[in-house]
Amino acid sequence: MIDSGSLVFLSSAEKKDTFLISLEEGGKLETRLGVISHEDVMRAGFGGRVRSHNGNLFYITKPSLGEYLRRIKRRTQIVFPKEAGYILLQLDVKPGARVLECGTGSGGMTSVFAHFVGDEGRVYSYDERGEFVELARRNCKRWKVDHRVEFKTRNISEGFDEVNVDALFLDLPDPWNYLNQARNALALGRRMGALLPTFNQIERFLRALQEKGFIDVEVIEIFHRNLKTDPNRIRPEDRMIGHTGYLIFATSVIDFDGGV
Amino acid sequence: MIDSGSLVFLSSAEKKDTFLISLEEGGKLETRLGVISHEDVMRAGFGGRVRSHNGNLFYITKPSLGEYLRRIKRRTQIVFPKEAGYILLQLDVKPGARVLECGTGSGGMTSVFAHFVGDEGRVYSYDERGEFVELARRNCKRWKVDHRVEFKTRNISEGFDEVNVDALFLDLPDPWNYLNQARNALALGRRMGALLPTFNQIERFLRALQEKGFIDVEVIEIFHRNLKTDPNRIRPEDRMIGHTGYLIFATSVIDFDGGV
Amino acid sequence: MIDSGSLVFLSSAEKKDTFLISLEEGGKLETRLGVISHEDVMRAGFGGRVRSHNGNLFYITKPSLGEYLRRIKRRTQIVFPKEAGYILLQLDVKPGARVLECGTGSGGMTSVFAHFVGDEGRVYSYDERGEFVELARRNCKRWKVDHRVEFKTRNISEGFDEVNVDALFLDLPDPWNYLNQARNALALGRRMGALLPTFNQIERFLRALQEKGFIDVEVIEIFHRNLKTDPNRIRPEDRMIGHTGYLIFATSVIDFDGGV
Amino acid sequence: MIDSGSLVFLSSAEKKDTFLISLEEGGKLETRLGVISHEDVMRAGFGGRVRSHNGNLFYITKPSLGEYLRRIKRRTQIVFPKEAGYILLQLDVKPGARVLECGTGSGGMTSVFAHFVGDEGRVYSYDERGEFVELARRNCKRWKVDHRVEFKTRNISEGFDEVNVDALFLDLPDPWNYLNQARNALALGRRMGALLPTFNQIERFLRALQEKGFIDVEVIEIFHRNLKTDPNRIRPEDRMIGHTGYLIFATSVIDFDGGV
């Protein structure tokens, strides 16, 4: 039995069709393979099967965070699973941690941070664009982690409200303009991350990090390639994502040049 | 002030030398840039600085889990950060989760799972090679998460002790031989992962997954490329890791063929 | 002045529109940016400019072989420039060389070989599918190298007509079935190449090469990533080709097991 | 029978040892697997076998241009086969073509161009560093194509001696300083190539190409990954080259801004 309000993943047994849906009483999912009743899904449970009104079989599974991230409703470029996972290991994210991010965007990375800090942790997410904050809040609510997030709809020029956070992630086009603010919010000796799509941005950011005295600077790029899964014809997929962005990490220490 | 027993990361201000050490009272770190007293490090704190006996400056920072993983004492191939992060998003790992892995190996992935399940969660880690289990236990202890792990030194042919776990990861050369055991341990509708280095292994595993009725099978490969960080000469590093392994994920559902 | 019958490349000065056309007297090119007269193009010459009937500017340039290959009329998967170039350096292709290939396919690789062997060289191209041979012949004619190619529309089970060729390329789904034929046609101590898309094919081919006694076996994979060229926003393209095929090379020597 | 002066490739039948040598009468090759007489090699011929003085077996094969390029005696970074092959397809290189390059470096790309233009073609290669020109000349002589190359030991600020060349390749750290010279040498409407290792250089070069009015600008990156060839354990090699350089191509047309 799955609770109403839960997120489930449905996969057609015959076709490639898959769906990520939030269950609600009386709900219906209309597909090209027929209509599926949400209540049938609740009754069948995770790992169970359900048939559409015209007899097509679907399996019900628990969606992974990665799958959720890929399908998130978005109005911005989102952070992809290949980068999101790596960020978790480079920043000090863990149950109970306090994580600060700016900007919020569509809330993809916000959901990931909120997932892993648990109920004891806290995510502070800043964006001055109110419509994004609303979208992100809905997306976090869908993954049932919105109660772990404080959304703040404002510009960060004057700085963040928080101090001594464990981890900080900047998903901004001009992170070099906010290094003083970042430094004041992040606990000393902790790592900060950023995601930037162009070489020109990397260059400006590296110069700023160097000038301000951040250390252990790391710039990386991650590729993800899917393979076809027919055991008789194993091969990589014909097309892949060629670029999302570069990840930059750096650590804040006591020698910091706050001047401009 | 940093507690004795803590893990710290030391970076030379002038050279590329870096060290990951566990602090202990009266401890000394000998480097080619001089000797550093652990007590000086404790006093300086995270983000602070310390000088070696002959005056070389080092910064003290909090090591990331990724850095820890790269430097783990190992007697086996370890899971790299690029894969470890992605696994976290594909399996149902989160604070409070119960995660099962086999084999333990050097305990790299064990540490990662134990880090993210928190004190409310539990990692069950199987390996029949006692010397690996001992190494993995020490490695988890170093990251201070060993109390979240139950190590089991035995062969898994007869199955796992646990049922209904949230996530399962197989780091074995022949995972196709343990699909019945995996299926019995994993909660229905949850995702299982494996890491395999060769095409031949992928082929055998894909056939077995198909025969047993696992669904939503995914095979991927992740590349990680470092860039040099001099802002006047930004470029990828000359050399990179060409291959670690392929990640395979699949979901267990009610239609399972336990025969054979 | 460009001769009638020449292949030219047209690039819009304002838009991304580009065209590869064969000039003919009285010819017209219809585009969404207006109609262009072939005779205007001939008069303007390579490097010159031409305007469409409604005033849009186009530049006229000499098409590269790589561009020709990308735009070839095809009914099969073609060999991409990234692989075609590498093949040239691994096999003994040069002015005056005798090169054998099978199958012909759409004639992309045939054109490349014919381009580089020059008028003194010779390409022998086998395919049992008559409609492909016709297409390939037209494609080679378009690049004005068809006089260097002998097309042979037949099955190669009984072997090739040629002996002692300098280079041999197999673009077949089952090259392992033709190693005796290949060995008889290729000059001793020369290198042979093949292109295969799946792991399963590589495995079978590697076993056959090993059994037959081919040496210096090499399997490689080539990736090609385009970058955006706006100097203010330099970055890789969002999408790239994830896979075309694996290249396998091997050398035939005196110890050959023709049995089986 | 192989002529004295020929280049041959020797592969141990038992070990991974391989050698690229120029045969000479009375010559001896000393290896850890014994001494091999050049005259034995000449007698055995391509595809034949030879034994060292202590009985170890070696096969004799015709070296590929790619293998030659990898083993060239070098005092500079060389162009790798993965890039060299692609360059051939993007520039107008073919039997009889006139190709201009600057700088000469160790002569790797010079050899490749000279190989493919044949005895009817011509390569003009500029470098102001006399010691490199001498090395390049020896390298081209070893591949027996030096008679097709005119080496010019001088700075190119005042321009090239040639006009109307078919193809032009700039392997310089600051190609943006030589666009007027390049434009004057290259036939109108033909493609020029360059190889640059850093983002900063790409940025400067793209700006200069844009200002000067070059068209159809292309920036690409090529990766090459080797696979292990044991049919029972097929997998990519653990390590690969992460970066050599970016290839930039552009075409010169009538609208050119020669101003500074």
Side-chain angles (χ1 to χ4, degrees):
Chain A
M1 193 69 199
I2 309 175
D3 291 340
S4 175
S6 296
L7 212 54
V8 302
F9 191 68
L10 294 176
S11 307
S12 160
E14 301 298 325
K15 306 278 179 182
K16 297 270 180 192
D17 299 34
T18 55
F19 304 90
L20 185 71
I21 58 167
S22 291
L23 297 178
E24 44 190 85
E25 273 149 47
K28 300 277 175 212
L29 172 69
E30 298 190 11
T31 81
R32 63 171 187 133
L33 299 169
V35 180
I36 298 163
S37 142
H38 285 205
E39 285 173 30
D40 286 355
V41 173
M42 291 180 206
R43 251 191 314 273
F46 286 119
R49 5 189 256 179
V50 71
R51 286 192 188 275
S52 66
H53 81 286
N54 54 4
N56 284 300
L57 183 68
F58 287 81
Y59 287 107
I60 304 153
T61 63
K62 197 147 188 285
S64 70
L65 179 55
E67 195 60 47
Y68 165 75
L69 202 54
R70 279 189 200 95
R71 293 173 185 247
I72 207 169
K73 278 173 196 129
R74 69 186 76 170
R75 296 177 59 177
T76 53
Q77 170 77 326
I78 59 147
V79 180
F80 277 58
K82 66 188 173 101
E83 277 99 24
Y86 191 81
I87 291 166
L88 291 174
L89 266 74
Q90 292 311 102
L91 304 184
D92 195 10
V93 178
K94 62 187 170 194
R98 295 168 63 241
V99 179
L100 195 156
E101 81 165 344
C102 179
T104 305
S106 305
M109 202 62 214
T110 323
S111 301
V112 173
F113 286 136
H115 178 94
F116 287 105
V117 299
D119 285 338
E120 314 295 309
R122 203 82 187 146
V123 180
Y124 309 98
S125 186
Y126 287 74
D127 204 306
E128 57 181 328
R129 301 160 302 177
E131 69 277 25
F132 286 119
V133 174
E134 275 327 294
L135 173 62
R137 195 190 301 274
R138 282 198 305 278
N139 279 328
C140 287
K141 192 177 172 74
R142 207 166 176 230
W143 194 249
K144 298 184 176 295
V145 293
D146 54 308
H147 60 288
R148 301 171 182 172
V149 186
E150 283 180 36
F151 290 102
K152 308 207 169 181
T153 315
R154 68 167 174 78
N155 188 285
I156 58 164
S157 322
E158 327 90 84
F160 298 103
D161 300 331
E162 295 72 26
V163 293
N164 230 21
V165 299
D166 299 294
L168 190 152
F169 184 64
L170 297 173
D171 190 0
L172 295 167
D174 58 342
W176 49 85
N177 286 327
Y178 304 100
L179 288 178
N180 289 357
Q181 294 86 331
R183 153 66 195 230
N184 290 335
L186 188 59
L188 257 195
R190 264 66 166 195
R191 219 148 167 68
M192 175 180 79
L195 180 71
L196 291 171
T198 75
F199 296 170
N200 313 71
Q201 288 168 304
I202 296 174
E203 186 185 340
R204 287 194 70 172
F205 195 40
L206 285 178
R207 282 192 207 289
L209 287 169
Q210 199 176 63
E211 279 163 23
K212 292 290 185 183
F214 281 83
I215 69 163
D216 293 335
V217 179
E218 177 189 1
V219 183
I220 72 149
E221 182 179 19
I222 298 178
F223 300 78
H224 168 156
R225 188 160 67 148
N226 286 306
L227 278 77
K228 296 186 180 182
T229 58
D230 174 351
N232 297 314
R233 300 180 52 79
I234 304 174
R235 46 170 292 180
E237 297 268 5
D238 298 329
R239 308 242 155 211
M240 63 182 276
I241 298 293
H243 184 65
T244 49
Y246 297 92
L247 287 173
I248 300 100
F249 299 97
T251 302
S252 152
V253 290
I254 202 162
D255 292 320
F256 177 80
D257 179 2
V260 178
Chain B
M1 194 67 200
I2 309 175
D3 291 341
S4 175
S6 296
L7 210 55
V8 302
F9 191 68
L10 294 176
S11 308
S12 159
E14 302 297 326
K15 306 278 180 182
K16 297 270 179 192
D17 299 34
T18 56
F19 304 91
L20 184 71
I21 57 166
S22 292
L23 297 178
E24 45 190 83
E25 272 149 50
K28 300 277 174 210
L29 172 69
E30 298 191 11
T31 81
R32 63 171 185 134
L33 300 169
V35 180
I36 299 164
S37 140
H38 286 205
E39 284 172 30
D40 287 353
V41 173
M42 293 180 205
R43 250 191 313 274
F46 286 119
R49 2 189 259 180
V50 71
R51 285 192 187 276
S52 66
H53 81 286
N54 55 2
N56 285 300
L57 184 66
F58 287 80
Y59 287 107
I60 304 151
T61 62
K62 198 149 189 282
S64 70
L65 178 57
E67 195 59 48
Y68 166 76
L69 202 53
R70 278 191 201 93
R71 294 173 185 247
I72 208 169
K73 278 174 196 127
R74 70 186 75 172
R75 297 176 59 176
T76 54
Q77 170 78 324
I78 59 148
V79 180
F80 277 58
K82 64 187 175 101
E83 277 99 24
Y86 191 81
I87 291 166
L88 291 173
L89 267 74
Q90 293 311 103
L91 303 184
D92 196 11
V93 178
K94 62 188 170 196
R98 295 168 63 241
V99 178
L100 196 156
E101 79 165 346
C102 178
T104 306
S106 305
M109 202 61 212
T110 324
S111 302
V112 173
F113 287 136
H115 178 93
F116 286 106
V117 300
D119 284 338
E120 315 295 311
R122 203 82 187 146
V123 179
Y124 309 97
S125 188
Y126 287 74
D127 204 306
E128 57 181 328
R129 301 161 300 178
E131 69 277 26
F132 285 119
V133 174
E134 274 327 293
L135 173 62
R137 196 191 301 273
R138 283 197 304 277
N139 278 328
C140 287
K141 191 177 172 78
R142 207 166 176 230
W143 194 249
K144 297 183 176 296
V145 293
D146 54 309
H147 60 291
R148 301 171 181 172
V149 186
E150 282 180 36
F151 291 101
K152 307 206 171 183
T153 314
R154 68 165 173 81
N155 188 285
I156 58 164
S157 321
E158 328 90 84
F160 298 104
D161 301 329
E162 296 73 26
V163 292
N164 230 20
V165 300
D166 298 294
L168 189 152
F169 184 66
L170 297 173
D171 190 1
L172 295 167
D174 58 344
W176 50 84
N177 286 328
Y178 304 101
L179 288 178
N180 289 357
Q181 294 86 331
R183 151 70 194 229
N184 290 336
L186 188 59
L188 258 197
R190 265 63 168 197
R191 218 148 169 67
M192 174 182 80
L195 181 71
L196 290 172
T198 74
F199 296 171
N200 314 70
Q201 288 168 303
I202 296 174
E203 186 184 339
R204 287 194 70 172
F205 195 40
L206 286 179
R207 283 192 207 288
L209 287 169
Q210 200 176 61
E211 278 162 24
K212 292 289 185 183
F214 281 82
I215 67 163
D216 294 334
V217 179
E218 179 189 357
V219 183
I220 73 151
E221 182 179 20
I222 296 178
F223 300 77
H224 168 156
R225 188 160 67 148
N226 285 308
L227 279 76
K228 296 187 179 180
T229 58
D230 173 350
N232 297 314
R233 301 181 52 79
I234 305 172
R235 48 169 291 179
E237 297 270 5
D238 297 331
R239 307 243 154 209
M240 62 183 277
I241 299 294
H243 184 65
T244 47
Y246 297 92
L247 287 173
I248 299 100
F249 299 97
T251 303
S252 151
V253 289
I254 202 162
D255 292 322
F256 176 81
D257 179 2
V260 179
Chain C
M1 193 69 198
I2 309 175
D3 291 340
S4 175
S6 297
L7 211 54
V8 302
F9 191 68
L10 294 176
S11 307
S12 160
E14 301 298 326
K15 306 278 180 181
K16 296 269 180 195
D17 299 34
T18 56
F19 305 91
L20 185 72
I21 58 167
S22 292
L23 296 178
E24 45 189 85
E25 274 149 48
K28 301 278 176 213
L29 173 69
E30 296 190 13
T31 80
R32 64 170 186 135
L33 299 168
V35 180
I36 298 164
S37 143
H38 285 205
E39 286 173 29
D40 287 354
V41 173
M42 293 180 204
R43 252 191 312 275
F46 285 119
R49 2 189 259 180
V50 69
R51 284 192 188 275
S52 67
H53 82 286
N54 55 4
N56 284 301
L57 185 66
F58 287 81
Y59 287 107
I60 304 152
T61 62
K62 198 148 188 285
S64 70
L65 178 56
E67 194 60 47
Y68 165 75
L69 202 54
R70 277 189 202 97
R71 292 173 186 248
I72 209 170
K73 277 172 196 130
R74 70 186 74 170
R75 297 175 58 177
T76 53
Q77 170 78 323
I78 59 149
V79 180
F80 277 58
K82 65 188 175 102
E83 277 99 24
Y86 191 81
I87 291 166
L88 292 172
L89 267 74
Q90 292 311 103
L91 303 184
D92 195 10
V93 178
K94 61 186 170 198
R98 294 169 64 241
V99 177
L100 196 156
E101 80 164 347
C102 180
T104 306
S106 306
M109 203 60 213
T110 324
S111 302
V112 172
F113 286 137
H115 178 94
F116 287 106
V117 299
D119 284 339
E120 314 295 311
R122 204 82 188 147
V123 179
Y124 308 98
S125 186
Y126 287 73
D127 205 306
E128 57 181 329
R129 301 160 301 176
E131 70 278 23
F132 285 120
V133 174
E134 276 326 294
L135 173 63
R137 195 190 301 275
R138 283 198 305 278
N139 278 328
C140 287
K141 191 177 173 76
R142 207 168 176 229
W143 194 249
K144 297 182 175 299
V145 293
D146 54 311
H147 59 290
R148 302 170 180 171
V149 185
E150 283 180 36
F151 290 102
K152 309 207 168 183
T153 314
R154 67 168 175 78
N155 188 284
I156 58 164
S157 320
E158 327 91 84
F160 298 104
D161 301 331
E162 295 72 27
V163 293
N164 229 23
V165 299
D166 298 295
L168 190 151
F169 184 66
L170 298 173
D171 190 1
L172 295 167
D174 57 344
W176 49 85
N177 286 327
Y178 304 100
L179 287 178
N180 289 357
Q181 294 87 329
R183 152 67 195 229
N184 290 335
L186 188 59
L188 258 196
R190 265 65 167 195
R191 219 148 167 68
M192 176 180 78
L195 181 71
L196 291 172
T198 74
F199 296 170
N200 313 71
Q201 289 168 303
I202 296 175
E203 186 184 340
R204 287 194 69 172
F205 195 40
L206 286 178
R207 283 192 206 288
L209 288 169
Q210 200 177 62
E211 279 162 23
K212 292 289 185 184
F214 282 82
I215 68 163
D216 293 334
V217 178
E218 179 190 358
V219 183
I220 72 149
E221 181 179 21
I222 297 178
F223 300 78
H224 168 157
R225 188 160 67 147
N226 286 307
L227 279 76
K228 297 187 179 181
T229 58
D230 173 351
N232 297 315
R233 300 180 53 79
I234 304 173
R235 48 170 289 180
E237 297 268 5
D238 297 330
R239 307 243 155 210
M240 64 183 275
I241 299 294
H243 184 64
T244 49
Y246 297 92
L247 287 172
I248 300 100
F249 299 98
T251 302
S252 152
V253 291
I254 202 162
D255 292 322
F256 177 81
D257 179 3
V260 180
Chain D
M1 192 68 200
I2 309 175
D3 292 340
S4 174
S6 296
L7 211 55
V8 302
F9 191 68
L10 294 175
S11 308
S12 159
E14 301 298 325
K15 306 277 180 182
K16 297 269 179 195
D17 298 35
T18 57
F19 304 91
L20 184 71
I21 58 166
S22 291
L23 297 178
E24 46 189 83
E25 274 149 46
K28 301 276 175 213
L29 173 69
E30 298 191 10
T31 79
R32 63 171 186 132
L33 300 169
V35 180
I36 299 164
S37 141
H38 285 205
E39 285 172 30
D40 287 354
V41 174
M42 292 180 207
R43 252 191 312 274
F46 286 119
R49 4 187 258 180
V50 71
R51 285 194 187 275
S52 67
H53 82 286
N54 54 3
N56 285 300
L57 183 67
F58 287 81
Y59 287 107
I60 304 152
T61 62
K62 199 149 188 283
S64 70
L65 178 56
E67 195 59 48
Y68 165 75
L69 201 54
R70 277 190 203 95
R71 292 172 186 247
I72 207 169
K73 278 171 196 131
R74 70 187 74 172
R75 298 177 56 178
T76 53
Q77 169 79 323
I78 59 148
V79 180
F80 277 58
K82 66 190 174 100
E83 277 99 25
Y86 191 81
I87 291 167
L88 292 173
L89 267 74
Q90 292 311 103
L91 303 184
D92 196 9
V93 178
K94 62 187 171 197
R98 296 168 63 240
V99 177
L100 197 156
E101 80 164 345
C102 180
T104 305
S106 306
M109 202 62 214
T110 323
S111 302
V112 173
F113 286 136
H115 178 93
F116 287 105
V117 299
D119 283 338
E120 313 295 310
R122 203 84 189 145
V123 179
Y124 309 99
S125 186
Y126 288 75
D127 205 306
E128 59 181 327
R129 300 159 301 177
E131 70 278 23
F132 286 119
V133 174
E134 276 326 294
L135 173 63
R137 196 190 301 274
R138 283 197 305 278
N139 278 328
C140 287
K141 192 177 172 75
R142 206 166 176 231
W143 194 248
K144 297 182 177 297
V145 294
D146 54 309
H147 60 290
R148 302 170 181 174
V149 185
E150 284 180 34
F151 290 101
K152 308 206 169 183
T153 314
R154 69 167 173 77
N155 188 284
I156 58 162
S157 320
E158 326 92 84
F160 298 104
D161 300 332
E162 296 72 26
V163 292
N164 230 22
V165 300
D166 297 296
L168 191 151
F169 184 65
L170 297 173
D171 190 1
L172 295 167
D174 58 343
W176 49 85
N177 286 328
Y178 304 100
L179 288 178
N180 289 357
Q181 294 86 331
R183 152 70 194 229
N184 289 335
L186 188 58
L188 258 196
R190 265 64 167 196
R191 218 147 169 69
M192 177 180 79
L195 181 71
L196 291 172
T198 73
F199 297 170
N200 314 70
Q201 288 168 303
I202 296 175
E203 185 183 341
R204 287 195 70 172
F205 195 40
L206 285 178
R207 283 191 207 289
L209 288 169
Q210 198 177 63
E211 278 162 23
K212 292 289 184 182
F214 281 82
I215 67 163
D216 293 335
V217 179
E218 179 189 358
V219 183
I220 72 149
E221 182 178 21
I222 297 178
F223 300 79
H224 169 157
R225 188 160 66 149
N226 286 307
L227 279 75
K228 297 187 178 180
T229 58
D230 174 351
N232 297 315
R233 301 181 52 80
I234 304 173
R235 47 170 291 178
E237 297 269 6
D238 297 330
R239 308 245 154 208
M240 63 182 277
I241 299 293
H243 185 65
T244 49
Y246 297 92
L247 287 172
I248 300 101
F249 299 97
T251 303
S252 151
V253 290
I254 202 161
D255 292 320
F256 176 81
D257 179 2
V260 176

